[in-house]
Amino acid sequence: MFTHVMIGSNDLALSRRFYDATFAALGASPGKTDERGRLIYAHDGGRLMITTPIDGKPATAANGGTIGIAAASPDQVRAWHAAGTAHGGTAIETPPTERPNGSVVAYLRDPDGNKLTARTRATR
């Protein structure tokens, strides 16, 4: 259904440190910068792009929005959460935890306030 998710950032260097670290914890490669200066992360068919807003106004986080990131294992969820908090992210909601459906879930806000979750697939 989707080709990519694009989010805004007010500090692309800080975003690069955060996303390079969190995606490395999931086994993904560091981001690449395209000719327009946007950061691009591609892994397992998904794509996240990060840019400064083209209208010149400050980037703001979506109120009520969450970007879900697939993790292969509970250990990857925990590593993603640890890498994020060590690289400018903020832990929110519960710590990495198992849900009733068997998935393991963690939540962070990136340095610009975007809400992210890493999770394993449900097992029951």
Side-chain angles (χ1 to χ4, degrees), residues 18-19 66-67 69 80 106-110 114-118:
F18 174 84
Y19 283 101
T66 303
I67 297 169
I69 301 166
W80 174 87
Y107 288 91
L108 292 170
R109 288 215 183 261
D110 76 3
N114 295 294
K115 185 178 176 183
L116 311 168
T117 181

Side-chain angles (χ1 to χ4, degrees), residues 34-122:
D34 73 3
E35 67 280 351
R36 293 180 169 175
R38 301 175 298 191
L39 294 173
I40 300 174
Y41 294 88
H43 183 66
D44 287 344
R47 182 185 265 216
L48 175 68
M49 300 172 69
I50 305 165
T51 188
T52 54
I54 61 173
D55 66 2
K57 295 178 183 173
T60 58
N63 184 18
T66 303
I67 297 169
I69 301 166
S73 69
D75 286 341
Q76 275 194 345
V77 171
R78 288 185 280 277
W80 174 87
H81 192 265
T85 57
H87 290 87
T90 304
I92 58 171
E93 299 188 21
T94 61
T97 188
E98 184 174 340
R99 294 287 173 89
N101 67 1
S103 65
V104 175
V105 179
Y107 288 91
L108 292 170
R109 288 215 183 261
D110 76 3
D112 287 290
N114 295 294
K115 185 178 176 183
L116 311 168
T117 181
R119 61 184 54 227
T120 60
R121 301 272 183 220

Side-chain angles (χ1 to χ4, degrees), residues 9-17 39 52 111-112:
S9 175
N10 294 306
D11 186 336
L12 289 174
L14 183 58
S15 287
R16 178 183 290 280
R17 286 190 299 275
L39 294 173
T52 54
D112 287 290

